[in-house]
Amino acid sequence: MLNDPTTISSVARLIGETLREDYGIDPHPLFRDSRIDPDKFQTPGSRVPFSKMNVLWRLATEASGDAEFGIKVGSRVTPGDFYVLGHAWLASETLHGAFQRLARFMQVLSTARSSLEVRLESDRCTLIETYANRVVQPQPAAMDAGFAALIRMCDFVTAAPVRPWRVVLPEGIDGRGVNYAATLGCPVEFGDVEIWEFSKADVETRLSGSIPEVADAVDAIANEYLSSLDEGAVAR
């Protein structure tokens, strides 16, 4: 798996939907050029090689001509697009629990490894993502989509919008005309490590859709899914 990272195919579908519905661009030539089979999108949990996704992100961003293309893709996300991780997120008791599941099951989204740590402190909850173990570097638009998707996923489960106090994004993606502060609803800085700081009170508020039994069941399914990815990698 380290030599052939993959990402969940629903991301490619979202890219295609955004091109078609927001820009009037037929995505099929781009799928063809990036060697991605759209028929895969019909199979829940199907995967696409990360290298092909990187090509698709580059081609789609160029075709859109929009610096905020990735933000628009991430803003379309629904929990179902994240397969078992999305269902576990919906059933979590609190945002803190949802963040912990994101850290545990990040490879559902992509096996191009990074590390996410969730720290609960006296007055805040901090998410820290590092990239020391990342196998390949994603396109900037793909990273933008992830930032917007996190905000979107929070909005799916909270009664009122929850926004971070402060965000530090990776250096190298700034200066591209993306209004991160407006998208994330807070001050944004740039540094070596990605950091999201939320109010502890916000992330510990019980979510109305919480079903602990469902969350536990989906956790088990997510673990089985990740195990199947490891087994598939060994077979390859």
Side-chain angles (χ1 to χ4, degrees), residues 19-143:
L19 284 171
R20 184 175 57 252
E21 297 178 18
D22 288 13
Y23 303 93
I25 297 172
D26 179 4
H28 286 88
L30 279 67
F31 291 145
R32 183 188 63 243
D33 292 346
S34 54
R35 299 171 59 199
I36 293 175
D37 180 5
D39 289 343
K40 277 194 168 189
F41 305 162
Q42 307 305 316
T43 304
S46 61
R47 316 287 298 181
V48 172
F50 193 91
S51 57
K52 294 183 180 182
M53 281 298 305
N54 250 1
V55 172
L56 179 60
W57 273 114
R58 177 177 57 78
L59 294 176
T61 303
E62 291 172 356
S64 73
D66 186 356
E68 296 203 342
F69 176 73
I71 298 295
K72 290 185 178 178
V73 174
S75 298
R76 301 181 72 90
V77 162
T78 66
D81 295 322
F82 288 167
Y83 192 44
V84 287
L85 173 57
H87 294 286
W89 181 284
L90 286 175
S92 295
E93 185 174 3
T94 62
L95 268 184
H96 179 224
F99 291 156
Q100 289 178 312
R101 287 184 166 89
L102 176 60
R104 287 172 58 192
F105 302 131
M106 280 186 68
Q107 290 186 58
V108 170
L109 306 180
S110 173
T111 59
R113 298 171 186 268
S114 61
S115 175
L116 180 66
E117 180 184 358
V118 181
R119 296 180 184 172
L120 193 63
E121 302 169 275
S122 59
D123 63 343
R124 72 194 63 195
C125 177
T126 306
L127 311 184
I128 304 173
E129 186 167 4
T130 55
Y131 305 103
N133 296 320
R134 176 163 274 173
V135 181
V136 287
Q137 182 65 27
Q139 291 287 312
M143 301 181 72

Side-chain angles (χ1 to χ4, degrees), residues 170-187:
E171 292 176 333
I173 63 168
D174 55 329
R176 295 166 37 247
V178 179
N179 190 343
Y180 291 108
T183 297
L184 307 182
C186 69

Side-chain angles (χ1 to χ4, degrees), residues 148-181:
L150 179 58
I151 296 297
R152 170 92 163 152
M153 290 289 285
C154 289
D155 286 346
F156 265 100
V157 294
T158 58
V162 169
R163 295 294 180 266
W165 284 348
R166 180 181 75 108
V167 170
V168 179
L169 298 180
E171 292 176 333
I173 63 168
D174 55 329
R176 295 166 37 247
V178 179
N179 190 343
Y180 291 108

